[in-house]
Amino acid sequence: MPLNLTNIIIRGRRALLCAAALACALLPAPAAAHTRVERASPADGDTAHGAVHEVRLRFTRPVESELTTITLFRGTAQVAAGARKVEESEGREFVLALSAPLQPGDYVARWKTVGGDGHVLEGAWRFAVAAVAAPSAVPAGTDASAGLAQAPPPPPTTDGTDEALEEEVGEAGRPLAVAVRWAWFVSLLGMIGAVAFRFGVLPRLDGDPELQPVSARAEAAVWFVALGAAALSVAALFARLWMQVAALGGGEAAWDGARMQVLLRDTGWGLAWVLQAIATLAFVTGLFITKAPHGRSVGWMGSAAGAVLLSAVPALSGHAASVGRMNGVAILMDTVHVLGAGVWLGTLAALLAVGIPAALLSGPGAGGAVAAMVRAFSPMALAGAAAVGVTGVVNVLFQLDAVPDLWGTGYGRALLLKLALLAGVGALGFYNWRRVLPVLGDDPGTRRLRTSARAELGLGLVVLLVTAVLVALPTP
């Protein structure tokens, strides 16, 4: 059968989906779980008979103790607020001590915390405290329990579910939050791709005296691309902080210096945010060092170091950070996943944005310069795509408990969509490698490459958009 783009896309999608299904069939159980409420005391829907001096809540996984609160209400009146970590619970259990026993009536306890993956979680549960009749009111010879004035059970939730189960705070899944994460991922891949283009593609041109002017022109242009990507990273940095503070409650008190210190210094999400700020600063500093005399190589190496550090930020502030066992392996795999995507799609973006235009500006012989750059890029793209595929399968092993989670949960369905789109990106890349690369060397070949590469990059941007939604969804 002749090799064409449609057949490649179909075969690539089927192969990747089969690989994902096979990987899920080998999943250990359980590999990881989203943070949930394990138990509450008094329990949800329970009626307490006797004095209640404290309210307790236990999670299935450790949470950020400094940002965990329990607020107790009776009707619309707040009774107490706060939470103290139970030391022997490893950050899983919290208690709200009461200054006096609760009066009879119905109560609602609302909680909020930050999970190990940086997601803000909140929920509530209801219980009642029964009134105890005076001892003289209990007739002789009757059961003492008959003297208890049974409070009616708290009203059930409207959807029939247990309200104590966790809920993701709405900001994480709103269009603005998704757009910020998408912009952040684009900037991250742009910075990685700019460095990879500088070190992996341009040296191929430097070896040919006739192509050195093209290399110099492309390096000057990719410097501005890298700076623009870093500026986008800075904007996303502050937008992410604003959204996290808003999810935790917002208001002027949320920006208090002591509270911000707790958020940025004492939480995993905050440490990842600080790492993003430091790494972005290192990346930009490296770019400006390249403009100093004799600073070209050192500056680009500094930017490369910053890009590598930045690739670890999504893992440290996302699902990989909440994996219960082999946490270091999960973070490493997610970091390599980001690096692979940057080397693949980020370098492709640099090739389209600055490499090919720099070659076309050189006049005659542009086809040879384009062919040289593409031949240097092809093994990088293959290595990056392989890293994305392998680490993606490993990440699936960490995040899903069973095969039905793929179609039975929102996270699984979003993952399937990402896999299908990624298969399309891979198929287009394979088409470029097998059908377009061999005919490069003239203007028609260059135009054909630009068309197919733009389609590959465009589909890759859609994959990043799905990923921006996926990382906000709770894992099964």
Side-chain angles (χ1 to χ4, degrees):
M1 182 173 56
L3 186 64
N4 57 61
L5 180 58
T6 302
N7 290 332
I8 292 172
I9 293 175
I10 294 175
R11 289 183 178 182
R13 183 181 292 114
R14 289 176 179 174
L16 192 53
L17 290 176
C18 289
L22 178 61
C24 291
L26 302 176
L27 284 171
H34 191 60
T35 303
R36 294 179 172 86
V37 172
E38 185 175 291
R39 64 173 180 267
S41 177
D44 183 48
D46 197 9
T47 299
H49 304 288
V52 177
H53 296 276
E54 63 181 24
V55 174
R56 285 181 175 258
L57 187 65
R58 184 176 178 86
F59 297 96
T60 57
R61 304 180 62 79
V63 297
E64 300 288 1
S65 59
E66 300 293 339
L67 297 175
T68 300
T69 59
I70 302 174
T71 306
L72 185 63
F73 294 91
R74 184 182 182 188
T76 59
Q78 178 177 312
V79 178
R84 175 179 57 83
K85 180 178 68 173
V86 178
E87 294 300 329
E88 62 272 17
S89 68
E90 300 179 346
R92 295 172 55 194
E93 188 169 347
F94 297 83
V95 59
L96 171 62
L98 305 172
S99 58
L102 293 179
Q103 298 296 316
D106 296 335
Y107 293 86
V108 176
R110 300 190 178 278
W111 57 269
K112 180 175 287 190
T113 189
V114 178
D117 56 4
H119 290 175
V120 178
L121 308 170
E122 67 177 0
W125 79 97
R126 301 169 182 268
F127 63 90
V129 176
V132 181
S136 59
V138 181
T142 61
D143 188 352
S145 63
L148 296 177
Q150 301 291 333
T157 57
T158 56
D159 58 0
T161 61
D162 185 355
E163 198 176 3
L165 294 178
E166 85 290 342
E167 303 171 0
E168 296 288 351
V169 173
E171 283 82 355
R174 289 179 178 172
L176 177 60
V178 172
V180 168
R181 285 192 297 272
W182 180 79
W184 175 36
F185 294 155
V186 170
S187 70
L188 182 55
L189 265 60
M191 287 186 282
I192 296 172
V195 170
F197 181 79
R198 165 61 182 79
F199 284 106
V201 175
L202 294 185
R204 176 70 68 91
L205 303 183
D206 291 334
D208 187 340
E210 294 184 359
L211 300 181
Q212 286 178 0
V214 177
S215 176
R217 189 179 295 112
E219 182 173 347
V222 82
W223 187 91
F224 287 99
V225 171
L227 186 63
L232 185 58
S233 177
V234 172
L237 182 75
F238 288 101
R240 290 180 64 224
L241 179 62
W242 175 79
M243 290 191 303
Q244 191 76 352
V245 171
L248 288 170
E252 293 183 4
W255 296 97
D256 177 73
R259 184 176 174 84
M260 290 299 297
Q261 185 176 8
V262 170
L263 174 63
L264 298 179
R265 187 190 65 183
D266 299 332
T267 69
W269 184 94
L271 292 176
W273 187 91
V274 172
L275 176 62
Q276 182 184 352
I278 294 174
T280 303
L281 178 61
F283 184 89
V284 174
T285 301
L287 288 180
F288 283 103
I289 290 176
T290 63
K291 299 300 183 180
H294 311 292
R296 176 186 173 199
S297 298
V298 174
W300 278 110
M301 290 177 64
S303 293
V308 172
L309 290 176
L310 282 166
S311 65
V313 173
L316 294 173
S317 59
H319 291 140
S322 65
V323 171
R325 61 182 184 182
M326 301 179 68
N327 181 263
V329 175
I331 291 175
L332 176 62
M333 290 296 101
D334 207 9
T335 301
V336 175
H337 190 77
V338 174
L339 277 173
V343 170
W344 176 15
L345 296 176
T347 310
L348 176 63
L351 180 67
L352 284 172
V354 302
I356 295 178
L360 294 177
L361 289 174
S362 65
V370 171
M373 285 187 287
V374 173
R375 289 190 177 93
F377 167 67
S378 291
M380 297 171 57
L382 290 174
V388 169
V390 172
T391 56
V393 171
V394 175
N395 290 339
V396 169
L397 296 176
F398 277 116
Q399 301 300 339
L400 296 183
D401 293 335
V403 175
D405 289 337
L406 277 172
W407 55 83
T409 65
Y411 180 89
R413 290 188 290 270
L415 180 60
L416 284 177
L417 177 59
K418 178 181 176 179
L419 288 172
L421 293 171
L422 194 58
V425 178
L428 287 169
F430 183 77
Y431 173 80
N432 290 332
W433 175 47
R434 293 298 300 271
R435 298 299 298 270
V436 179
L437 178 58
V439 299
L440 283 178
D442 53 16
D443 290 343
T446 300
R447 287 194 297 269
R448 185 176 179 184
L449 172 68
R450 296 181 81 176
T451 299
S452 57
R454 284 170 179 167
E456 180 182 352
L457 184 61
L459 196 55
L461 293 176
V462 177
V463 172
L464 290 183
L465 181 61
V466 175
T467 303
V469 175
L470 182 66
V471 297
L473 298 175
T475 55

